[in-house]
Amino acid sequence: MITILKNTTHLKQRAFYHACLFATFSLYWTVVPILLRTSLLYFTNTEIALFGFVSIAGVLFTPTIGKLADKSMIDSLTTISMLLVVLSVLLLLFVKNHSILTIILLIISGIILDVGISGNLLLGQKVIYSLDVSIRSRLNGLYMTIFFLGGAFGSFIGTYSYYKFSINTALMIGLVLPLIALVVHIINIIKSSNSNKQSLTG
């Protein structure tokens, strides 16, 4: 399994991308319910539970993302997915009180987070399933193991940074993780483009 991981560039890339995004996803859903129960916002348990239903949005958009991915738009859709995750965390910085504006921001934030995460997961699996068919199960197993480790890290660091420092510290970590993935993704696109140009001129 380690040899497969070392020798499969696309697996390493997609696993890293989704580990970063899934870390933010786990951080988000660990920290936000705690935040909503604070004296500043004081959402009821029922309101917090209803807010959790916005995650259904990702499922609704998945077929559309899949159709676009079939049209060779994986790189651009990956970029969009990462930007959606970044934006979802940014919106939380404007959550200040228990108001209609806050509820709207939370709903939009939750929806675009889940669309971004679901989209990137689908895109990653599409890339992985296009690799060696004979080891497809192992490739997918490695992919899922790595990004779930990212999710575990997100839950831990979110709770730790929230209670040790502040909500803003937790949110900043949630912002940095998908931004790192985005920067690496852009670098990989540039490298791939340069490699294609060299092969054509060669």
Side-chain angles (χ1 to χ4, degrees), residues 60-119:
L60 300 177
F61 281 93
T62 299
T64 302
I65 296 169
K67 290 177 183 177
L68 292 172
D70 289 336
K71 298 178 180 179
S72 302
M73 297 176 64
I74 290 177
D75 284 342
S76 57
L77 288 172
T78 298
T79 301
I80 292 170
S81 295
M82 292 175 177
L83 289 173
L84 286 175
V85 176
V86 171
L87 180 58
S88 71
V89 180
L90 276 174
L91 290 176
L92 294 181
L93 296 174
F94 298 95
V95 171
K96 302 297 182 183
N97 51 46
H98 192 153
S99 65
I100 295 298
L101 177 60
T102 289
I103 293 171
I104 292 171
L105 288 175
L106 285 169
I107 291 173
I108 295 172
S109 173
I111 288 174
I112 62 177
L113 171 74
D114 204 64
V115 172
I117 293 294
S118 298

